[in-house]
Amino acid sequence: MGWSGSIPLSWALPTTLCSSSFLFKQSCLPVPAFASHELHFPINEEANSDYEVSVIVQRSSINCSRPFWLSRTNKNSRICSSQVKVEDITEDETCELVNGVELSIGEEDDAINAYLCTAVKNNNGTGILLLSDVFGFEDSATRDFAYLVACNGYNVLVPDLFRGDPWTKERPKDLFEEWRARQNPEHIAKDIFISADWMVNEFVAAGITKKLGIIGFCFGGGQVIDILAHNQGGCFGVGVSFYGTGISASAAANIRVPVLFIAGDNDPLCPVNNLKDIGKEIEHQKMVVFQGRGHGFVHRPESPEEDEDAEKAFVIMRNWLHDGLAIET
């Protein structure tokens, strides 16, 4: 069944425990410099079956140590809680070693670029497809988030949804709609499924049969819903949509897997009322709304307060993935 427990790996020496598949061969590569960062997350092993519920996360006045988004090497970092119960740290926890590698997936004209983060130590043999916002798969905020997810034992693939033409902050804002119109939804969906098929094939080669998880931010958060609605092959077992844009309620009605929605109640691009209407169409869903938060606060926090809520959102997402994917055998 692949890797499911601790695998002793040396920092300096290559391991001989690698699978023959490409996905797990990457764990034999030298660990990049950023793998020296430490993260300190609480571990919650309790299953979460609380679907079809909306949770409002109030802003907390509890004083915390410097959040991990601002200082990943702070040994005193912990998660604070308000209405959402989050376990306190009782002892130091270090991030799993992570490898990052650039890929080209597919053949000839269909080939797409992607970035893969794999957990070297305690790899749980589970794949996550991470869909970026409009700034693309090379954006540092998206890659940092992929790294954090991989730190928890996952193999995270971030495909280039825009084929080398992501939106950039340097472009005039009045050109955005023109750029957006050039992004063909059918081509993007095709690339997402090519990426998913690649991961499934890698897991099959490694003797692993677990389904994939899919996560998306903003534009990618909307794509999560569209892809799950057309998940005919059943390769995805769970989804997470962070403040998704352009989501269709009619598409959501076709989703048959659990979906977690995370958003802020002050986000004009992802109105909470719209999310609630969409959530009614999905049989198994959970919605977590953060009070006073706008768009992008989880992967692009801009203040200590947003940083604190980003930590909470990450733990909620991590537990959702664990309950839906990692604990399955």
Side-chain angles (χ1 to χ4, degrees), residues 254-271:
N254 296 319
I255 294 177
R256 298 295 179 265
V257 301
V259 180
L260 170 65
F261 293 95
I262 294 180
D265 68 353
N266 192 28
D267 184 353
L269 300 179
C270 181

Side-chain angles (χ1 to χ4, degrees), residues 204-249:
V204 169
I208 298 171
T209 59
K210 294 180 181 178
K211 292 183 178 181
L212 307 178
I214 184 169
I215 301 171
F217 301 112
C218 313
F219 172 86
Q223 290 297 308
V224 165
I225 302 306
D226 288 340
I227 294 301
L228 290 181
H230 296 87
N231 186 28
Q232 298 177 356
C235 58
F236 296 109
V238 66
V240 182
S241 176
F242 286 95
Y243 26 79
T245 58
I247 301 177
S248 168

Side-chain angles (χ1 to χ4, degrees), residues 80-279:
C80 301
S81 62
S82 52
Q83 289 188 355
V84 171
K85 182 179 180 181
V86 183
E87 209 173 292
D88 284 341
I89 291 296
T90 57
E91 59 184 50
D92 287 345
E93 299 175 47
T94 58
C95 179
E96 307 295 354
L97 304 183
V98 172
N99 279 334
V101 62
E102 305 287 344
L103 301 175
S104 179
I105 298 172
E107 299 180 358
E108 299 178 353
D109 293 340
D110 283 336
I112 60 173
N113 293 324
Y115 180 69
L116 176 68
C117 277
T118 57
V120 175
K121 184 180 179 183
N122 293 333
N123 191 302
N124 61 23
T126 303
I128 301 293
L129 193 60
L130 179 59
L131 308 183
S132 72
D133 57 19
V134 295
F135 297 106
F137 85 120
E138 293 182 309
D139 181 77
S140 60
T142 296
R143 292 203 173 190
D144 284 349
F145 196 91
Y147 166 74
L148 295 175
V149 176
C151 280
N152 286 265
Y154 295 94
N155 306 283
V156 186
L157 184 68
V158 190
D160 178 10
L161 301 181
F162 307 112
R163 295 276 182 163
D165 181 33
W167 179 252
T168 62
K169 296 179 180 179
E170 293 75 22
R171 296 185 184 186
K173 293 183 179 179
D174 57 3
L175 297 180
F176 179 80
E177 292 303 325
E178 177 184 336
W179 170 85
R180 182 68 179 83
R182 294 200 302 269
Q183 311 310 316
N184 188 307
E186 294 181 359
H187 291 171
I188 290 175
K190 179 181 178 181
D191 286 349
I192 293 173
F193 279 114
I194 287 175
S195 301
D197 288 343
W198 181 86
M199 294 194 81
V200 169
N201 290 336
E202 290 296 324
F203 285 130
V204 169
I208 298 171
T209 59
K210 294 180 181 178
K211 292 183 178 181
L212 307 178
I214 184 169
I215 301 171
F217 301 112
C218 313
F219 172 86
Q223 290 297 308
V224 165
I225 302 306
D226 288 340
I227 294 301
L228 290 181
H230 296 87
N231 186 28
Q232 298 177 356
C235 58
F236 296 109
V238 66
V240 182
S241 176
F242 286 95
Y243 26 79
T245 58
I247 301 177
S248 168
S250 59
N254 296 319
I255 294 177
R256 298 295 179 265
V257 301
V259 180
L260 170 65
F261 293 95
I262 294 180
D265 68 353
N266 192 28
D267 184 353
L269 300 179
C270 181
V272 172
N273 287 337
N274 289 357
L275 280 186
K276 290 181 178 179
D277 291 338
I278 293 166

Side-chain angles (χ1 to χ4, degrees), residues 46-68:
E46 296 180 0
N48 180 359
S49 60
D50 184 17
Y51 298 132
E52 300 181 4
V53 61
S54 177
V55 179
I56 300 293
V57 180
Q58 306 289 343
R59 297 179 63 177
S60 172
S61 60
I62 299 175
N63 292 323
C64 301
S65 301
R66 189 172 175 83
F68 70 83

